[in-house]
mmCIF file of all heavy atoms in Angstrom:
data_model
loop_
_atom_site.group_PDB
_atom_site.id
_atom_site.type_symbol
_atom_site.label_atom_id
_atom_site.label_comp_id
_atom_site.label_asym_id
_atom_site.label_seq_id
_atom_site.Cartn_x
_atom_site.Cartn_y
_atom_site.Cartn_z
ATOM 1 N N ARG A 24 3.829 10.137 26.023
ATOM 2 C CA ARG A 24 3.856 11.603 26.137
ATOM 3 C C ARG A 24 3.121 12.309 24.992
ATOM 4 O O ARG A 24 3.227 13.526 24.860
ATOM 5 C CB ARG A 24 5.301 12.093 26.201
ATOM 6 C CG ARG A 24 6.006 11.718 27.502
ATOM 7 C CD ARG A 24 7.450 12.131 27.476
ATOM 8 N NE ARG A 24 8.108 11.858 28.758
ATOM 9 C CZ ARG A 24 9.424 11.795 28.928
ATOM 10 N NH1 ARG A 24 10.233 11.994 27.887
ATOM 11 N NH2 ARG A 24 9.934 11.537 30.110
ATOM 12 N N THR A 25 2.416 11.555 24.194
ATOM 13 C CA THR A 25 1.640 12.172 23.116
ATOM 14 C C THR A 25 0.527 13.020 23.708
ATOM 15 O O THR A 25 -0.277 12.538 24.502
ATOM 16 C CB THR A 25 1.034 11.105 22.185
ATOM 17 O OG1 THR A 25 2.098 10.349 21.597
ATOM 18 C CG2 THR A 25 0.224 11.747 21.080
ATOM 19 N N ILE A 26 0.491 14.293 23.326
ATOM 20 C CA ILE A 26 -0.534 15.211 23.829
ATOM 21 C C ILE A 26 -1.818 15.069 23.031
ATOM 22 O O ILE A 26 -2.919 15.077 23.573
ATOM 23 C CB ILE A 26 -0.014 16.669 23.766
ATOM 24 C CG1 ILE A 26 1.213 16.831 24.661
ATOM 25 C CG2 ILE A 26 -1.109 17.650 24.170
ATOM 26 C CD1 ILE A 26 1.880 18.186 24.538
ATOM 27 N N VAL A 27 -1.686 14.928 21.716
ATOM 28 C CA VAL A 27 -2.838 14.832 20.824
ATOM 29 C C VAL A 27 -3.136 13.357 20.580
ATOM 30 O O VAL A 27 -2.441 12.697 19.820
ATOM 31 C CB VAL A 27 -2.564 15.549 19.487
ATOM 32 C CG1 VAL A 27 -3.767 15.454 18.565
ATOM 33 C CG2 VAL A 27 -2.196 17.002 19.740
ATOM 34 N N GLU A 28 -4.149 12.822 21.223
ATOM 35 C CA GLU A 28 -4.482 11.415 21.077
ATOM 36 C C GLU A 28 -5.665 11.189 20.141
ATOM 37 O O GLU A 28 -5.842 10.085 19.626
ATOM 38 C CB GLU A 28 -4.778 10.792 22.441
ATOM 39 C CG GLU A 28 -3.548 10.742 23.354
ATOM 40 C CD GLU A 28 -3.753 9.851 24.545
ATOM 41 O OE1 GLU A 28 -4.781 9.146 24.587
ATOM 42 O OE2 GLU A 28 -2.900 9.861 25.449
ATOM 43 N N ARG A 29 -6.489 12.216 19.926
ATOM 44 C CA ARG A 29 -7.627 12.087 19.023
ATOM 45 C C ARG A 29 -7.255 12.713 17.685
ATOM 46 O O ARG A 29 -7.109 13.932 17.569
ATOM 47 C CB ARG A 29 -8.866 12.746 19.607
ATOM 48 C CG ARG A 29 -9.347 12.102 20.908
ATOM 49 C CD ARG A 29 -10.640 12.711 21.382
ATOM 50 N NE ARG A 29 -11.720 12.476 20.428
ATOM 51 C CZ ARG A 29 -12.953 12.968 20.568
ATOM 52 N NH1 ARG A 29 -13.237 13.743 21.614
ATOM 53 N NH2 ARG A 29 -13.886 12.712 19.664
ATOM 54 N N VAL A 30 -7.070 11.867 16.703
ATOM 55 C CA VAL A 30 -6.648 12.317 15.379
ATOM 56 C C VAL A 30 -7.843 12.268 14.435
ATOM 57 O O VAL A 30 -8.506 11.247 14.313
ATOM 58 C CB VAL A 30 -5.517 11.413 14.834
ATOM 59 C CG1 VAL A 30 -5.098 11.872 13.448
ATOM 60 C CG2 VAL A 30 -4.331 11.425 15.793
ATOM 61 N N LYS A 31 -8.135 13.386 13.788
ATOM 62 C CA LYS A 31 -9.240 13.461 12.846
ATOM 63 C C LYS A 31 -8.773 12.949 11.485
ATOM 64 O O LYS A 31 -8.159 13.678 10.697
ATOM 65 C CB LYS A 31 -9.766 14.894 12.746
ATOM 66 C CG LYS A 31 -10.386 15.397 14.050
ATOM 67 C CD LYS A 31 -10.931 16.804 13.895
ATOM 68 C CE LYS A 31 -11.583 17.300 15.185
ATOM 69 N NZ LYS A 31 -12.103 18.686 15.051
ATOM 70 N N GLN A 32 -9.049 11.673 11.224
ATOM 71 C CA GLN A 32 -8.561 11.025 10.015
ATOM 72 C C GLN A 32 -9.077 11.681 8.741
ATOM 73 O O GLN A 32 -8.356 11.782 7.743
ATOM 74 C CB GLN A 32 -8.936 9.545 10.024
ATOM 75 C CG GLN A 32 -8.282 8.724 11.141
ATOM 76 C CD GLN A 32 -6.784 8.570 10.957
ATOM 77 O OE1 GLN A 32 -6.021 9.433 11.402
ATOM 78 N NE2 GLN A 32 -6.370 7.508 10.315
ATOM 79 N N GLU A 33 -10.327 12.153 8.757
ATOM 80 C CA GLU A 33 -10.883 12.780 7.553
ATOM 81 C C GLU A 33 -10.114 14.043 7.189
ATOM 82 O O GLU A 33 -9.872 14.311 6.009
ATOM 83 C CB GLU A 33 -12.361 13.101 7.755
ATOM 84 C CG GLU A 33 -13.262 11.869 7.779
ATOM 85 C CD GLU A 33 -14.732 12.232 7.845
ATOM 86 O OE1 GLU A 33 -15.048 13.435 7.754
ATOM 87 O OE2 GLU A 33 -15.570 11.320 7.977
ATOM 88 N N ARG A 34 -9.734 14.818 8.198
ATOM 89 C CA ARG A 34 -8.982 16.048 7.926
ATOM 90 C C ARG A 34 -7.594 15.711 7.395
ATOM 91 O O ARG A 34 -7.099 16.356 6.458
ATOM 92 C CB ARG A 34 -8.882 16.891 9.196
ATOM 93 C CG ARG A 34 -8.213 18.240 8.965
ATOM 94 C CD ARG A 34 -8.321 19.121 10.199
ATOM 95 N NE ARG A 34 -7.675 18.532 11.350
ATOM 96 C CZ ARG A 34 -6.352 18.593 11.572
ATOM 97 N NH1 ARG A 34 -5.568 19.220 10.710
ATOM 98 N NH2 ARG A 34 -5.826 18.041 12.637
ATOM 99 N N LEU A 35 -6.950 14.679 7.974
ATOM 100 C CA LEU A 35 -5.630 14.289 7.489
ATOM 101 C C LEU A 35 -5.719 13.741 6.066
ATOM 102 O O LEU A 35 -4.839 14.005 5.242
ATOM 103 C CB LEU A 35 -5.013 13.244 8.414
ATOM 104 C CG LEU A 35 -4.745 13.684 9.859
ATOM 105 C CD1 LEU A 35 -3.933 12.631 10.587
ATOM 106 C CD2 LEU A 35 -4.048 15.033 9.915
ATOM 107 N N ALA A 36 -6.774 12.992 5.770
ATOM 108 C CA ALA A 36 -6.954 12.473 4.415
ATOM 109 C C ALA A 36 -7.107 13.619 3.417
ATOM 110 O O ALA A 36 -6.581 13.553 2.296
ATOM 111 C CB ALA A 36 -8.168 11.553 4.367
ATOM 112 N N ALA A 37 -7.818 14.669 3.817
ATOM 113 C CA ALA A 37 -7.973 15.833 2.938
ATOM 114 C C ALA A 37 -6.636 16.529 2.715
ATOM 115 O O ALA A 37 -6.343 17.006 1.605
ATOM 116 C CB ALA A 37 -8.990 16.802 3.530
ATOM 117 N N GLN A 38 -5.805 16.574 3.759
ATOM 118 C CA GLN A 38 -4.465 17.162 3.628
ATOM 119 C C GLN A 38 -3.620 16.357 2.643
ATOM 120 O O GLN A 38 -2.865 16.916 1.840
ATOM 121 C CB GLN A 38 -3.777 17.203 4.992
ATOM 122 C CG GLN A 38 -4.384 18.168 5.991
ATOM 123 C CD GLN A 38 -4.037 19.613 5.673
ATOM 124 O OE1 GLN A 38 -3.114 19.895 4.910
ATOM 125 N NE2 GLN A 38 -4.783 20.526 6.249
ATOM 126 N N ILE A 39 -3.739 15.040 2.695
ATOM 127 C CA ILE A 39 -2.994 14.182 1.780
ATOM 128 C C ILE A 39 -3.403 14.459 0.334
ATOM 129 O O ILE A 39 -2.547 14.613 -0.549
ATOM 130 C CB ILE A 39 -3.239 12.703 2.135
ATOM 131 C CG1 ILE A 39 -2.494 12.337 3.418
ATOM 132 C CG2 ILE A 39 -2.829 11.784 0.989
ATOM 133 C CD1 ILE A 39 -2.820 10.957 3.943
ATOM 134 N N VAL A 40 -4.696 14.522 0.085
ATOM 135 C CA VAL A 40 -5.184 14.771 -1.272
ATOM 136 C C VAL A 40 -4.677 16.113 -1.787
ATOM 137 O O VAL A 40 -4.175 16.219 -2.915
ATOM 138 C CB VAL A 40 -6.723 14.717 -1.314
ATOM 139 C CG1 VAL A 40 -7.250 15.278 -2.636
ATOM 140 C CG2 VAL A 40 -7.209 13.289 -1.114
ATOM 141 N N GLU A 41 -4.797 17.136 -0.970
ATOM 142 C CA GLU A 41 -4.355 18.471 -1.395
ATOM 143 C C GLU A 41 -2.862 18.487 -1.708
ATOM 144 O O GLU A 41 -2.419 19.078 -2.698
ATOM 145 C CB GLU A 41 -4.679 19.498 -0.313
ATOM 146 C CG GLU A 41 -4.345 20.923 -0.719
ATOM 147 C CD GLU A 41 -4.791 21.937 0.304
ATOM 148 O OE1 GLU A 41 -5.653 21.623 1.149
ATOM 149 O OE2 GLU A 41 -4.270 23.078 0.273
ATOM 150 N N ALA A 42 -2.065 17.806 -0.862
ATOM 151 C CA ALA A 42 -0.626 17.769 -1.101
ATOM 152 C C ALA A 42 -0.307 17.022 -2.391
ATOM 153 O O ALA A 42 0.578 17.436 -3.154
ATOM 154 C CB ALA A 42 0.086 17.115 0.077
ATOM 155 N N CYS A 43 -1.008 15.928 -2.662
ATOM 156 C CA CYS A 43 -0.787 15.173 -3.904
ATOM 157 C C CYS A 43 -1.163 16.010 -5.122
ATOM 158 O O CYS A 43 -0.482 15.970 -6.154
ATOM 159 C CB CYS A 43 -1.587 13.882 -3.889
ATOM 160 S SG CYS A 43 -0.913 12.591 -2.824
ATOM 161 N N GLU A 44 -2.253 16.747 -5.021
ATOM 162 C CA GLU A 44 -2.668 17.612 -6.132
ATOM 163 C C GLU A 44 -1.603 18.650 -6.437
ATOM 164 O O GLU A 44 -1.330 18.960 -7.606
ATOM 165 C CB GLU A 44 -3.990 18.289 -5.791
ATOM 166 C CG GLU A 44 -5.176 17.338 -5.769
ATOM 167 C CD GLU A 44 -6.457 17.990 -5.265
ATOM 168 O OE1 GLU A 44 -6.378 19.088 -4.653
ATOM 169 O OE2 GLU A 44 -7.532 17.408 -5.467
ATOM 170 N N GLN A 45 -0.971 19.186 -5.398
ATOM 171 C CA GLN A 45 -0.007 20.261 -5.586
ATOM 172 C C GLN A 45 1.353 19.761 -6.061
ATOM 173 O O GLN A 45 2.016 20.413 -6.863
ATOM 174 C CB GLN A 45 0.169 21.030 -4.265
ATOM 175 C CG GLN A 45 -1.049 21.816 -3.833
ATOM 176 C CD GLN A 45 -1.381 22.942 -4.797
ATOM 177 O OE1 GLN A 45 -0.493 23.603 -5.333
ATOM 178 N NE2 GLN A 45 -2.661 23.164 -5.030
ATOM 179 N N CYS A 46 1.782 18.594 -5.570
ATOM 180 C CA CYS A 46 3.160 18.162 -5.847
ATOM 181 C C CYS A 46 3.274 17.228 -7.045
ATOM 182 O O CYS A 46 4.385 16.856 -7.437
ATOM 183 C CB CYS A 46 3.774 17.507 -4.616
ATOM 184 S SG CYS A 46 3.206 15.821 -4.266
ATOM 185 N N GLY A 47 2.153 16.809 -7.624
ATOM 186 C CA GLY A 47 2.204 15.975 -8.805
ATOM 187 C C GLY A 47 2.182 14.485 -8.542
ATOM 188 O O GLY A 47 2.361 13.697 -9.474
#
């Protein structure tokens, strides 16, 4: 039942970096 099957890994990787920068 997953609606979103195409995941943009580069965008998620950028989200990870930004979150790490902010949370320490």
Side-chain angles (χ1 to χ4, degrees):
R24 291 176 176 162
T25 299
I26 298 173
V27 180
E28 294 194 8
R29 297 185 63 184
V30 179
K31 295 182 179 179
Q32 296 291 87
E33 289 186 6
R34 185 172 61 81
L35 297 189
Q38 292 285 343
I39 287 172
V40 167
E41 184 174 341
C43 285
E44 290 173 344
Q45 292 295 322
C46 76

